[in-house]
Amino acid sequence: DLDDADRGCLGHALELGHERNPVTWFNPNNGLNYTVTPLNGFSSGGNKCRNYTLNVRGDDINDSKNERACLISDGTWKRYKG
């Protein structure tokens, strides 16, 4: 699970990151390394959305997911489930 700091980093990467340019950070609270690679954008219901890959690595964790998120009215990115 992402904490508030990780969600902030993810949102920042989706908002400002260039397509296919990985953004990485380390969370000292859980000892995990994160890499988000923003991909192509799309629109849903008038919201700006993006595809991305999320890689999480740490002790006994090596996880990779392809996900989508949309920027909602409060300025945060929420997972797109459509």
Side-chain angles (χ1 to χ4, degrees), residues 6-80:
D6 295 327
R7 280 190 287 280
C9 290
L10 174 62
H12 193 77
L14 295 177
E15 182 70 25
L16 301 175
H18 295 284
E19 189 171 326
R20 300 200 183 283
N21 286 336
V23 176
T24 62
W25 70 92
F26 173 73
N27 183 329
N29 294 325
N30 61 19
L32 297 176
N33 291 290
Y34 296 86
T35 302
V36 173
T37 305
L39 302 172
N40 61 309
F42 64 98
S43 293
S44 176
N47 293 323
K48 176 182 175 179
C49 303
R50 253 185 137 161
N51 294 298
Y52 64 96
T53 60
L54 174 62
N55 296 299
V56 182
R57 289 188 171 72
D59 290 334
D60 298 324
I61 296 173
N62 188 2
D63 192 25
S64 182
K65 299 177 185 177
N66 293 315
E67 298 185 341
R68 305 169 119 193
C70 294
L71 184 61
I72 61 172
S73 61
D74 70 0
T76 61
W77 287 82
K78 298 291 181 194
R79 283 190 58 199
Y80 175 76

